[in-house]
Amino acid sequence: MKTIGILGGTFNPIHYGHLRMAQELAESLGIDSIRFIPAANPPHKSTYNISASHRAAMVNLAIADNPLFRIDEQELNRAGHSYTIDTLQNLRDELGHDVSIILFMGSDAFTQFDTWHRWQEIITLCHIALVQRPQTSKTEPSRKLSPTLESFLHNHYTETSDDLHTSPAGYITMRQITALDISSTAIRDAFQQGKATRYLMPDSVIDYIQAHQLYL
Ligand code: ATP
Ligand code: MG
């Protein structure tokens, strides 16, 4: 079965944590192509006045030289909130039901997963691949999974990549990746404080931020 990975995020801005996670999951899960899906209007957070088109432009620059990666701008073209469930439904309408879709997620995002719109239906449309993310934020306490999410994880869990290739949706797996303690929050702070951001993200993205005077 053809297998595609998707990575949603605000990408405000995109950085090597996102890119490395996508690359390593593509290799360890045997994925044919990965779509980066910038959120237009994230229900859970502010975008600090950086427009969706700037965030998408930065994603485009960051992925330009990787044939495995592409951008999917469907959430930008949709009015109102962007919910993952709607995005997945659109992908299914586009790709059909004989394609395996794997939603990538960092551990921080998964601890909030049971607050997502119609979250229990999401697993009927895709698999989920989880990666451990270093404890980035100094202000956020480390969060554990709620009992609801613990049992959700348990009920869908597999360690076998084959499961993700022989069915289109329904499994959750976890993979080890190189731990990169990089976050968009820390990058925005660094820009604001006039600190260097080199080696945290592609130079093309840094050049774009400087040219458009973002995060000042
Ligand atoms: P912010 O600090 O603004 O929340 P972020 O760095 O967390 O930004 P997001 O766009 O919120 O980036 O993340 C999108 C997805 O990528 C989430 O599933 C998140 O867990 C994952 N992710 C982001 N950074 C990393 C990283 N360094 N390692 C692993 N996963 C990451
Ligand atoms: Mg985040």
Side-chain angles (χ1 to χ4, degrees), residues 48-72:
Y48 308 89
N49 294 322
I50 306 297
S51 68
S53 63
H54 277 316
R55 292 183 288 105
M58 293 188 278
V59 171
N60 265 312
L61 288 168
I63 66 176
D65 60 358
N66 190 332
L68 206 58
F69 294 170
R70 54 172 282 194
I71 190 168
D72 180 333

mmCIF file of all heavy atoms in Angstrom, residues 48-72:
data_model
loop_
_atom_site.group_PDB
_atom_site.id
_atom_site.type_symbol
_atom_site.label_atom_id
_atom_site.label_comp_id
_atom_site.label_asym_id
_atom_site.label_seq_id
_atom_site.Cartn_x
_atom_site.Cartn_y
_atom_site.Cartn_z
ATOM 1 N N TYR A 48 1.043 35.041 16.750
ATOM 2 C CA TYR A 48 1.885 36.215 16.977
ATOM 3 C C TYR A 48 1.917 37.124 15.749
ATOM 4 O O TYR A 48 2.953 37.678 15.394
ATOM 5 C CB TYR A 48 3.303 35.807 17.398
ATOM 6 C CG TYR A 48 3.297 34.855 18.555
ATOM 7 C CD1 TYR A 48 3.232 33.486 18.340
ATOM 8 C CD2 TYR A 48 3.303 35.320 19.875
ATOM 9 C CE1 TYR A 48 3.184 32.590 19.402
ATOM 10 C CE2 TYR A 48 3.257 34.440 20.935
ATOM 11 C CZ TYR A 48 3.202 33.079 20.701
ATOM 12 O OH TYR A 48 3.155 32.210 21.732
ATOM 13 N N ASN A 49 0.767 37.233 15.083
ATOM 14 C CA ASN A 49 0.634 38.131 13.932
ATOM 15 C C ASN A 49 1.495 37.772 12.730
ATOM 16 O O ASN A 49 1.748 38.598 11.883
ATOM 17 C CB ASN A 49 0.922 39.579 14.331
ATOM 18 C CG ASN A 49 -0.133 40.090 15.287
ATOM 19 O OD1 ASN A 49 -1.310 39.766 15.122
ATOM 20 N ND2 ASN A 49 0.279 40.854 16.279
ATOM 21 N N ILE A 50 1.984 36.553 12.682
ATOM 22 C CA ILE A 50 2.674 36.122 11.472
ATOM 23 C C ILE A 50 1.632 35.442 10.582
ATOM 24 O O ILE A 50 1.006 34.470 10.995
ATOM 25 C CB ILE A 50 3.826 35.144 11.792
ATOM 26 C CG1 ILE A 50 4.794 35.746 12.815
ATOM 27 C CG2 ILE A 50 4.547 34.752 10.510
ATOM 28 C CD1 ILE A 50 5.522 36.995 12.376
ATOM 29 N N SER A 51 1.452 35.986 9.380
ATOM 30 C CA SER A 51 0.365 35.487 8.530
ATOM 31 C C SER A 51 0.643 34.055 8.085
ATOM 32 O O SER A 51 1.788 33.600 8.029
ATOM 33 C CB SER A 51 0.208 36.381 7.301
ATOM 34 O OG SER A 51 1.338 36.235 6.477
ATOM 35 N N ALA A 52 -0.441 33.386 7.747
ATOM 36 C CA ALA A 52 -0.313 32.021 7.246
ATOM 37 C C ALA A 52 0.538 31.999 5.975
ATOM 38 O O ALA A 52 1.295 31.051 5.755
ATOM 39 C CB ALA A 52 -1.697 31.442 6.977
ATOM 40 N N SER A 53 0.455 33.042 5.170
ATOM 41 C CA SER A 53 1.227 32.989 3.923
ATOM 42 C C SER A 53 2.733 33.126 4.192
ATOM 43 O O SER A 53 3.541 32.496 3.513
ATOM 44 C CB SER A 53 0.730 34.014 2.899
ATOM 45 O OG SER A 53 0.908 35.300 3.401
ATOM 46 N N HIS A 54 3.119 33.900 5.205
ATOM 47 C CA HIS A 54 4.534 33.919 5.586
ATOM 48 C C HIS A 54 4.972 32.547 6.104
ATOM 49 O O HIS A 54 6.038 32.046 5.758
ATOM 50 C CB HIS A 54 4.785 34.943 6.703
ATOM 51 C CG HIS A 54 4.964 36.349 6.212
ATOM 52 N ND1 HIS A 54 5.738 36.679 5.128
ATOM 53 C CD2 HIS A 54 4.462 37.530 6.690
ATOM 54 C CE1 HIS A 54 5.721 37.994 4.948
ATOM 55 N NE2 HIS A 54 4.939 38.536 5.877
ATOM 56 N N ARG A 55 4.149 31.953 6.962
ATOM 57 C CA ARG A 55 4.533 30.655 7.530
ATOM 58 C C ARG A 55 4.648 29.590 6.442
ATOM 59 O O ARG A 55 5.559 28.750 6.442
ATOM 60 C CB ARG A 55 3.539 30.253 8.624
ATOM 61 C CG ARG A 55 3.648 31.165 9.849
ATOM 62 C CD ARG A 55 2.732 30.785 11.013
ATOM 63 N NE ARG A 55 1.327 31.063 10.763
ATOM 64 C CZ ARG A 55 0.401 30.162 10.477
ATOM 65 N NH1 ARG A 55 0.726 28.871 10.454
ATOM 66 N NH2 ARG A 55 -0.837 30.508 10.250
ATOM 67 N N ALA A 56 3.737 29.648 5.474
ATOM 68 C CA ALA A 56 3.792 28.688 4.365
ATOM 69 C C ALA A 56 5.009 28.966 3.469
ATOM 70 O O ALA A 56 5.670 28.023 3.003
ATOM 71 C CB ALA A 56 2.507 28.762 3.545
ATOM 72 N N ALA A 57 5.314 30.224 3.254
ATOM 73 C CA ALA A 57 6.481 30.564 2.419
ATOM 74 C C ALA A 57 7.758 30.006 3.053
ATOM 75 O O ALA A 57 8.649 29.495 2.362
ATOM 76 C CB ALA A 57 6.577 32.072 2.255
ATOM 77 N N MET A 58 7.840 30.084 4.377
ATOM 78 C CA MET A 58 9.028 29.556 5.069
ATOM 79 C C MET A 58 9.100 28.030 4.958
ATOM 80 O O MET A 58 10.189 27.460 4.776
ATOM 81 C CB MET A 58 9.028 30.016 6.527
ATOM 82 C CG MET A 58 9.219 31.529 6.650
ATOM 83 S SD MET A 58 9.451 32.092 8.350
ATOM 84 C CE MET A 58 7.768 32.180 8.960
ATOM 85 N N VAL A 59 7.942 27.372 5.031
ATOM 86 C CA VAL A 59 7.930 25.918 4.835
ATOM 87 C C VAL A 59 8.418 25.592 3.428
ATOM 88 O O VAL A 59 9.269 24.717 3.236
ATOM 89 C CB VAL A 59 6.520 25.327 5.079
ATOM 90 C CG1 VAL A 59 6.471 23.859 4.659
ATOM 91 C CG2 VAL A 59 6.112 25.478 6.548
ATOM 92 N N ASN A 60 7.921 26.311 2.445
ATOM 93 C CA ASN A 60 8.340 26.071 1.057
ATOM 94 C C ASN A 60 9.843 26.204 0.887
ATOM 95 O O ASN A 60 10.478 25.374 0.235
ATOM 96 C CB ASN A 60 7.618 27.043 0.119
ATOM 97 C CG ASN A 60 6.370 26.414 -0.478
ATOM 98 O OD1 ASN A 60 6.410 25.285 -0.978
ATOM 99 N ND2 ASN A 60 5.260 27.123 -0.400
ATOM 100 N N LEU A 61 10.423 27.229 1.477
ATOM 101 C CA LEU A 61 11.878 27.412 1.378
ATOM 102 C C LEU A 61 12.605 26.254 2.052
ATOM 103 O O LEU A 61 13.597 25.738 1.526
ATOM 104 C CB LEU A 61 12.286 28.733 2.044
ATOM 105 C CG LEU A 61 11.910 30.008 1.294
ATOM 106 C CD1 LEU A 61 12.107 31.225 2.198
ATOM 107 C CD2 LEU A 61 12.739 30.140 0.010
ATOM 108 N N ALA A 62 12.126 25.848 3.210
ATOM 109 C CA ALA A 62 12.830 24.825 3.994
ATOM 110 C C ALA A 62 12.815 23.454 3.328
ATOM 111 O O ALA A 62 13.753 22.680 3.490
ATOM 112 C CB ALA A 62 12.213 24.740 5.398
ATOM 113 N N ILE A 63 11.758 23.153 2.594
ATOM 114 C CA ILE A 63 11.632 21.807 2.021
ATOM 115 C C ILE A 63 12.013 21.746 0.541
ATOM 116 O O ILE A 63 11.981 20.678 -0.069
ATOM 117 C CB ILE A 63 10.197 21.242 2.191
ATOM 118 C CG1 ILE A 63 9.187 22.042 1.372
ATOM 119 C CG2 ILE A 63 9.811 21.214 3.672
ATOM 120 C CD1 ILE A 63 7.777 21.463 1.433
ATOM 121 N N ALA A 64 12.392 22.895 -0.018
ATOM 122 C CA ALA A 64 12.574 23.009 -1.472
ATOM 123 C C ALA A 64 13.510 21.949 -2.058
ATOM 124 O O ALA A 64 13.268 21.440 -3.149
ATOM 125 C CB ALA A 64 13.088 24.399 -1.828
ATOM 126 N N ASP A 65 14.564 21.583 -1.340
ATOM 127 C CA ASP A 65 15.547 20.671 -1.938
ATOM 128 C C ASP A 65 15.327 19.206 -1.572
ATOM 129 O O ASP A 65 16.190 18.378 -1.810
ATOM 130 C CB ASP A 65 16.968 21.119 -1.551
ATOM 131 C CG ASP A 65 17.171 21.107 -0.040
ATOM 132 O OD1 ASP A 65 16.195 20.791 0.698
ATOM 133 O OD2 ASP A 65 18.290 21.407 0.410
ATOM 134 N N ASN A 66 14.183 18.882 -0.998
ATOM 135 C CA ASN A 66 13.941 17.485 -0.618
ATOM 136 C C ASN A 66 12.762 16.910 -1.406
ATOM 137 O O ASN A 66 11.618 17.263 -1.156
ATOM 138 C CB ASN A 66 13.673 17.390 0.890
ATOM 139 C CG ASN A 66 13.672 15.950 1.365
ATOM 140 O OD1 ASN A 66 13.356 15.031 0.597
ATOM 141 N ND2 ASN A 66 14.025 15.748 2.619
ATOM 142 N N PRO A 67 13.048 15.998 -2.346
ATOM 143 C CA PRO A 67 11.980 15.466 -3.203
ATOM 144 C C PRO A 67 10.926 14.650 -2.435
ATOM 145 O O PRO A 67 9.828 14.438 -2.933
ATOM 146 C CB PRO A 67 12.719 14.573 -4.210
ATOM 147 C CG PRO A 67 14.080 14.365 -3.654
ATOM 148 C CD PRO A 67 14.376 15.465 -2.688
ATOM 149 N N LEU A 68 11.277 14.227 -1.236
ATOM 150 C CA LEU A 68 10.340 13.466 -0.407
ATOM 151 C C LEU A 68 9.264 14.370 0.218
ATOM 152 O O LEU A 68 8.186 13.912 0.607
ATOM 153 C CB LEU A 68 11.160 12.833 0.728
ATOM 154 C CG LEU A 68 10.712 11.566 1.411
ATOM 155 C CD1 LEU A 68 10.552 10.439 0.415
ATOM 156 C CD2 LEU A 68 11.743 11.183 2.486
ATOM 157 N N PHE A 69 9.581 15.640 0.319
ATOM 158 C CA PHE A 69 8.707 16.576 1.043
ATOM 159 C C PHE A 69 7.900 17.444 0.084
ATOM 160 O O PHE A 69 8.413 17.900 -0.937
ATOM 161 C CB PHE A 69 9.554 17.532 1.909
ATOM 162 C CG PHE A 69 10.299 16.896 3.051
ATOM 163 C CD1 PHE A 69 11.257 17.637 3.750
ATOM 164 C CD2 PHE A 69 10.060 15.588 3.445
ATOM 165 C CE1 PHE A 69 11.959 17.080 4.813
ATOM 166 C CE2 PHE A 69 10.760 15.020 4.509
ATOM 167 C CZ PHE A 69 11.713 15.775 5.197
ATOM 168 N N ARG A 70 6.665 17.699 0.452
ATOM 169 C CA ARG A 70 5.882 18.722 -0.250
ATOM 170 C C ARG A 70 4.993 19.454 0.741
ATOM 171 O O ARG A 70 4.780 18.999 1.860
ATOM 172 C CB ARG A 70 5.059 18.123 -1.382
ATOM 173 C CG ARG A 70 4.168 16.969 -0.948
ATOM 174 C CD ARG A 70 3.237 16.543 -2.060
ATOM 175 N NE ARG A 70 2.115 17.481 -2.158
ATOM 176 C CZ ARG A 70 1.004 17.228 -2.847
ATOM 177 N NH1 ARG A 70 0.876 16.105 -3.528
ATOM 178 N NH2 ARG A 70 0.023 18.097 -2.879
ATOM 179 N N ILE A 71 4.501 20.599 0.300
ATOM 180 C CA ILE A 71 3.607 21.356 1.171
ATOM 181 C C ILE A 71 2.175 21.123 0.704
ATOM 182 O O ILE A 71 1.922 20.907 -0.481
ATOM 183 C CB ILE A 71 3.966 22.862 1.155
ATOM 184 C CG1 ILE A 71 3.202 23.622 2.242
ATOM 185 C CG2 ILE A 71 3.718 23.474 -0.216
ATOM 186 C CD1 ILE A 71 3.713 25.048 2.470
ATOM 187 N N ASP A 72 1.265 21.101 1.647
ATOM 188 C CA ASP A 72 -0.158 20.987 1.337
ATOM 189 C C ASP A 72 -0.831 22.190 1.989
ATOM 190 O O ASP A 72 -0.854 22.305 3.211
ATOM 191 C CB ASP A 72 -0.684 19.658 1.909
ATOM 192 C CG ASP A 72 -2.162 19.441 1.640
ATOM 193 O OD1 ASP A 72 -2.900 20.439 1.484
ATOM 194 O OD2 ASP A 72 -2.588 18.268 1.608
#
